Amino acid sequence: MAAPRVLFLCTHNSARSQMAEALLRSRSRGRVEVESAGTEKTLVRPLALQVLQEIGIDASAQTSKTLDRFIDERFDYVITVCDAANDACPTFPNAGAREHWSLPDPSKATGSEEEQLAVYRAVRVELEERVAALIARLASRGAHA
């Protein structure tokens, strides 16, 4: 049986979708093929990488990608992690399911670096919970996640 495939989408593919990709890859121990993309290509936010590193996940090799490269691929789940991407998300004809996880944009956090990190950490914690639930659903369906 092929590994389940998941695509996380966000506007800039710089924080939330990058964190979700890294978390799912790490927590599923590679048993889920996971990608992330954005409606626009930017750079991965250093604070997103930092809060992942705090929990032992090195996502420094990840890059920002646009969704056009994935539009014709098959995914078991296409998950938007920001409201703008949810509104702008095209139809993925080869997607088994489409979900929306509405999460605040940590890149909009202001204040000191520590205050900004607190926002990134809160989003990471919420993503950890949602990723754990997704892995449980995949496992219950026999997807070996």
Side-chain angles (χ1 to χ4, degrees), residues 1 3 19-20 26 29 33 36 46 49 58-59 73 77 83 89 91 99 113-114 128 136:
M1 176 189 259
M19 290 192 290
S26 173
R29 294 183 294 282
E33 288 184 37
S36 69
L49 297 174
D58 179 6
E73 292 189 30
Y77 286 89
D83 297 335
C89 185
T91 300
E99 291 186 13
E113 183 172 315
E114 195 53 44
E128 286 179 286

Side-chain angles (χ1 to χ4, degrees), residues 62-141:
Q62 289 182 198
T63 60
S64 180
K65 302 162 290 295
T66 57
L67 65 86
D68 58 336
R69 69 189 282 185
F70 299 109
I71 201 80
D72 293 324
E73 292 189 30
R74 180 199 59 81
F75 289 95
D76 297 289
Y77 286 89
V78 173
I79 302 171
T80 51
V81 292
C82 74
D83 297 335
N86 185 49
D87 294 341
C89 185
T91 300
F92 277 80
N94 299 318
R98 186 163 164 331
E99 291 186 13
H100 176 57
W101 299 353
S102 183
L103 298 162
D105 185 354
S107 69
K108 297 203 183 305
T110 59
S112 69
E113 183 172 315
E114 195 53 44
E115 290 168 323
Q116 292 175 50
L117 278 168
V119 175
Y120 276 86
R121 288 178 185 123
V123 170
R124 182 197 66 209
V125 167
E126 187 166 349
L127 281 168
E128 286 179 286
E129 292 168 1
R130 290 176 185 247
V131 162
L134 177 61
I135 290 170
R137 276 188 285 151
L138 290 169
S140 73
R141 293 180 179 171

